[in-house]
């Protein structure tokens, strides 16, 4: 009993050590993926599920173009049939041997085995719906491409904004850590001075409290960075448990003045969502024409070639087959269908008018959005210039406060206030750079523009 228990304990310990070893090796193997903005966008263009669905919709639209062409091309059919009569059909004739009896005699017809083969061909000669459908499918395919391009712009914009958010969160964490590091260094310095009787005990206590007050800021900043990285992974189409880090900084890059000057006119010509709606309007007009074509006749040519043969046994050869052939045309004209065509035409016209209203609404929304984006960019640039001057003033103030404190003419509170003001000014500038880059990304989204590195990658592919 004791020995079996010892063996079980040994085996359990061995399995536990193996599981822990595998877990440790798995944890060590999950090295965080360090991404730049360009790399994050490239990953999103490959992995984003909504973008992948939009690309499949483009392929589906192309398949519909091929289907529409199929209705305009000739149709060829080959049919073959073999049948065996289990009981032959009959027809009846009078009994010629005894006509006065009124009896009839059943006469079997056909053979036990029969084969027939038919080859038929047809070609539409005139049908407005068929030929309009080809052009409609092409426009629909272009609309699907516009929707896919709009989805691509949205994905890239979402990744850019999420990446900037992650970098801002990382910057906030860095500033918080720097504040804590400075506070801890200040606490060590004040403790040393207090031990020598050069500063009051109150200064040491205040420095200690300042350090402890900064620790929760670190926790909040770390949580903010985790949430920002999760949002980035979601926009990229990555699993939430995949470790990711961002590299780089929020670099302030002013939008080209040419783009700003022409944005109001360019947005109505280049926005992919608006372009998709305009193509849908074309599709709506084509659908109206298709429905109206039901008033018109349709004309088609056809031809048939048939081989038939019958025999009581299965030794059927080509000499037993009889051929027949015919060609012709069919003309079809609807005379009355209960006013269904009128109703369908009216519905198609209403659908097209609804799309036209959507176009006008989107045009107004885009022009308003561009005006707001331009105004926001202008105001943020003014804030950047003002905050750069604020940082210079905060740096001079911190230097003066530190010099006065070292000479004994200032208190520790003044030094701490000057240092916090400097760090806050730097963080405010980073926040303003973030606001500018977000506004620039949203302007690109309105204009349907992709960053240069995305366009260069697409051109190289």
């Amino acid at each position: 009993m004791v020995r079996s228990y010892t063996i079980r304990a040994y085996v359990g310990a061995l399995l536990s050590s193996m599981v822990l070893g595998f877990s440790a090796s798995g944890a060590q193997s999950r090295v965080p993926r360090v991404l730049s903005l360009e790399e994050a966008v490239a990953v999103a263009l490959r992995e984003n599920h909504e973008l992948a669905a939009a690309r499949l919709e483009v392929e589906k639209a192309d398949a519909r173009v091929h289907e529409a062409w199929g209705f305009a091309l000739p149709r060829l059919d080959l049919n073959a049939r073999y049948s065996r009569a289990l009981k032959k059909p009959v027809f009846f004739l009078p009994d010629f041997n005894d006509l006065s009896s009124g009896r009839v005699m059943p006469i079997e017809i056909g053979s036990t085995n029969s084969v027939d083969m038919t080859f038929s061909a047809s070609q539409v000669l005139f049908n407005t719906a068929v030929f309009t459908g080809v052009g409609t499918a092409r426009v629909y395919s272009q609309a699907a491409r516009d929707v896919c391009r709009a989805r691509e712009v949205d994905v890239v914009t979402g990744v850019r904004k999420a990446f900037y958010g992650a970098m801002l969160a990382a910057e906030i964490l860095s500033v918080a850590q720097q504040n804590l590091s400075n506070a801890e260094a200040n606490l060590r310095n004040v403790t040393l001075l207090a031990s020598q009787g050069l500063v009051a005990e109150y200064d040491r206590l205040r420095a200690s409290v300042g350090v402890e007050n900064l620790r929760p800021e670190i926790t909040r900043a770390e949580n903010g960075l985790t949430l920002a990285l999760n949002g980035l992974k979601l926009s990229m189409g990555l699993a939430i448990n995949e470790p990711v880090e961002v590299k780089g900084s929020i670099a302030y890059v002013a939008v080209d003045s040419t783009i700003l000057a022409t944005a109001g006119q360019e947005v109505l010509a280049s926005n992919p969502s608006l372009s998709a709606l305009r193509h849908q309007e074309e599709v709506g007009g084509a659908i109206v024409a298709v429905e109206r074509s039901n008033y018109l006749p349709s004309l088609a040519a056809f031809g048939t070639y048939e081989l038939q043969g019958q025999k009581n046994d299965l030794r059927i050869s080509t000499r037993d087959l009889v051929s027949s052939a015919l060609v012709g045309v069919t003309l079809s004209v609807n005379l009355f269908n209960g006013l269904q065509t009128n109703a369908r035409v009216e519905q198609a016209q209403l659908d097209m008018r609804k799309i036209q209203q959507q176009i006008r609404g989107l045009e107004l929304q885009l022009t308003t959005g561009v005006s707001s984006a331009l105004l926001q960019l202008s105001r943020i640039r003014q804030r950047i210039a003002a905050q750069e001057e604020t940082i210079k003033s905060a740096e001079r103030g911190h230097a003066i406060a530190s010099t006065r404190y070292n000479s004994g003419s200032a208190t520790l509170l003044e030094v701490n206030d000057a240092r916090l003001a400097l760090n806050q000014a730097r963080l405010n500038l980073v926040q303003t750079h973030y606001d500018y880059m977000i506004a620039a990304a949203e302007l690109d989204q309105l204009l349907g523009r992709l960053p240069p590195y995305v366009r260069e990658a697409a051109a190289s592919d």
Side-chain angles (χ1 to χ4, degrees):
M1 177 72 69
V2 175
R3 182 171 182 175
S4 61
Y5 175 79
T6 304
I7 293 175
R8 287 198 301 269
Y10 174 77
V11 173
L14 179 61
L15 292 176
S16 299
S17 63
M18 292 174 62
V19 171
L20 291 175
F22 291 149
S23 301
S25 62
Q28 292 175 358
S29 63
R30 294 184 64 81
V31 178
R33 184 191 299 190
V34 182
L35 298 172
S36 65
L37 176 59
E38 294 80 1
E39 293 168 341
V41 170
V43 171
L45 294 177
R46 293 194 308 267
E47 303 294 338
N48 185 273
H49 305 296
E50 295 181 2
L51 183 56
R55 288 168 178 162
L56 291 176
E57 191 64 30
V58 171
E59 296 182 17
K60 180 181 177 181
D62 291 340
R64 287 188 175 181
V65 174
H66 298 312
E67 180 187 13
W69 270 110
F71 289 106
L73 297 176
R75 176 170 178 172
L76 306 175
D77 293 296
L78 178 64
N79 297 307
R81 184 180 67 173
Y82 162 79
S83 62
R84 180 179 178 85
L86 301 179
K87 194 171 184 180
K88 297 178 183 178
V90 298
F91 70 94
F92 297 90
L93 291 177
D95 186 356
F96 294 104
N97 295 326
D98 188 4
L99 293 176
S100 61
S101 65
R103 292 195 304 268
V104 293
M105 301 294 293
I107 306 298
E108 290 185 345
I109 59 175
S111 302
T112 303
N113 301 289
S114 64
V115 294
D116 63 82
M117 183 180 297
T118 304
F119 176 78
S120 60
S122 61
Q123 171 63 55
V124 174
L125 300 179
F126 177 79
N127 189 318
T128 305
V130 170
F131 299 116
T132 303
V134 175
T136 304
R138 285 178 173 174
V139 177
Y140 177 80
S141 176
Q142 185 58 50
R145 281 171 166 75
D146 288 333
V147 172
C148 182
R149 187 164 64 92
R151 186 64 230 159
E152 185 178 23
V153 171
D154 291 344
V155 167
V156 171
T157 303
V159 172
R160 291 171 67 185
K161 295 168 70 174
F163 194 91
Y164 294 146
M167 285 196 296
L168 177 62
E171 188 69 27
I172 292 174
L173 176 59
S174 177
V175 170
Q177 291 172 340
Q178 182 180 357
N179 287 340
L180 180 60
S181 178
N182 292 338
E184 290 174 340
N186 183 64
L187 175 60
R188 290 192 296 269
N189 184 41
V190 172
T191 302
L192 178 61
L193 294 176
S195 66
Q196 297 173 357
L198 299 178
V199 297
E201 179 65 16
Y202 173 77
D203 288 343
R204 190 192 66 79
L205 292 175
R206 186 173 182 84
S208 177
V209 172
V211 169
E212 296 304 320
N213 286 338
L214 288 175
R215 297 192 190 279
E217 297 293 332
I218 299 295
T219 302
R220 283 193 289 269
E222 290 174 344
N223 292 337
L225 178 58
T226 300
L227 293 176
L229 290 175
N230 288 341
L232 175 61
K233 287 184 281 188
L234 180 63
S235 64
M236 292 167 58
L238 299 180
I240 200 68
N241 60 349
E242 182 170 350
V244 168
E245 293 181 2
V246 296
K247 62 181 178 180
S249 59
I250 303 178
Y252 166 64
V253 180
V255 179
D256 191 344
S257 59
T258 303
I259 297 175
L260 298 177
T262 60
Q265 298 78 27
E266 184 182 352
V267 65
L268 298 180
S270 60
N271 183 270
S273 297
L274 182 59
S275 179
L277 273 180
R278 287 169 176 167
H279 281 111
Q280 290 180 19
E281 182 185 15
E282 293 183 42
V283 172
I287 292 176
V288 172
V290 169
E291 297 298 344
R292 283 177 175 167
S293 68
N294 292 322
Y295 293 118
L296 302 175
S298 61
L299 183 66
F302 68 91
T304 302
Y305 180 79
E306 185 175 11
L307 293 173
Q308 300 181 63
Q310 295 187 4
K311 206 169 186 181
N312 286 324
D313 55 42
L314 293 175
R315 291 180 301 207
I316 301 176
S317 64
T318 55
R319 291 177 296 178
D320 300 317
L321 299 178
V322 178
S323 64
S324 62
L326 60 91
V327 294
V329 294
T330 58
L331 177 66
S332 176
V333 182
N334 176 259
L335 300 179
F336 182 74
N337 65 350
L339 301 179
Q340 294 181 30
T341 300
N342 291 343
R344 285 195 292 266
V345 169
E346 183 179 2
Q347 293 176 43
Q349 290 174 335
L350 291 173
D351 287 339
M352 187 173 66
R353 288 169 58 187
K354 183 175 73 172
I355 295 175
Q356 291 172 346
Q357 291 298 324
Q358 292 175 345
I359 290 175
R360 295 189 185 96
L362 183 56
E363 287 176 344
L364 179 60
Q365 180 181 348
L366 291 174
T367 52
T368 304
V370 166
S371 298
S372 300
L374 295 176
L375 180 60
Q376 186 177 8
L377 288 171
S378 176
R379 289 179 175 176
I380 295 175
R381 291 188 68 176
Q382 295 174 3
R383 285 168 49 196
I384 290 174
Q387 288 175 359
E388 288 175 347
E389 293 299 324
T390 301
I391 289 178
K392 294 178 181 178
S393 299
E395 288 174 344
R396 289 196 299 269
H398 181 260
I400 293 172
S402 299
T403 301
R404 294 181 66 233
Y405 180 78
N406 292 332
S407 64
S409 59
T411 64
L412 178 63
L413 179 60
E414 293 176 352
V415 176
N416 290 338
D417 289 343
R419 184 176 63 251
L420 290 176
L422 175 59
N423 289 336
Q424 188 61 47
R426 290 170 176 170
L427 186 58
N428 287 343
L429 181 60
V430 173
Q431 177 73 54
T432 307
H433 286 171
Y434 166 81
D435 293 340
Y436 187 90
M437 299 310 294
I438 291 295
E442 292 175 348
L443 178 62
D444 285 342
Q445 184 179 19
L446 291 172
L447 299 177
R449 297 180 69 253
L450 292 173
Y453 50 83
V454 177
R455 297 195 297 268
E456 292 170 2
S460 63
D461 293 341

